[in-house]
Amino acid sequence: MDLKVVFVIVCLCALAITTTDAGIPKCCVRPRRIIPVRILEKVQRTEVQKRNGACDISALMLYVEGMAKPICAYPIVRRHLTWIQRQRTQNKRRATY
């Protein structure tokens, strides 16, 4: 095979792998049970990692403001997170009256 054809095929394969996240999945390995409230207050978004996919354990990935990597937590932490968010919205409502 011509060297140019091989080079083009390799480049296309590398492009396909990097754009589709077909590489190594980002899995939580050691989720934390206890996460401080001050960190839970700064959570911007969450993702659920399911056990039946590419990862071996169920976890909750917390993307926190000011942190480069997400924090891995057990799914039970979602209850605490929703409670904190509910308290925050109630406090904002009370402050507007």
Side-chain angles (χ1 to χ4, degrees):
M1 219 186 263
D2 192 32
L3 187 60
K4 292 179 183 178
V5 174
V6 172
F7 181 73
V8 169
I9 291 173
V10 168
C11 287
L12 289 175
C13 289
L15 181 66
I17 289 173
T18 57
T19 58
T20 60
D21 287 334
I24 300 171
K26 296 179 182 176
C27 296
C28 290
V29 180
R30 295 184 186 169
R32 296 168 42 181
R33 288 187 194 275
I34 300 172
I35 297 176
V37 174
R38 61 181 173 80
I39 292 178
L40 289 176
E41 290 175 345
K42 295 180 181 180
V43 172
Q44 293 178 337
R45 68 183 176 101
T46 61
E47 287 183 14
V48 177
Q49 171 183 305
K50 296 188 178 182
R51 179 175 45 184
N52 58 1
C55 305
D56 292 337
I57 59 173
S58 296
L60 185 67
M61 297 173 72
L62 306 172
Y63 292 90
V64 180
E65 178 183 348
M67 297 183 101
K69 293 183 179 181
I71 296 175
C72 296
Y74 280 98
I76 194 75
V77 174
R78 177 172 275 192
R79 291 183 188 172
H80 303 290
L81 185 62
T82 55
W83 183 81
I84 288 171
Q85 290 172 345
R86 191 177 308 129
Q87 292 295 322
R88 187 184 312 160
T89 56
Q90 288 177 356
N91 289 340
K92 285 183 182 178
R93 286 184 198 156
R94 289 179 188 157
T96 58
Y97 289 125

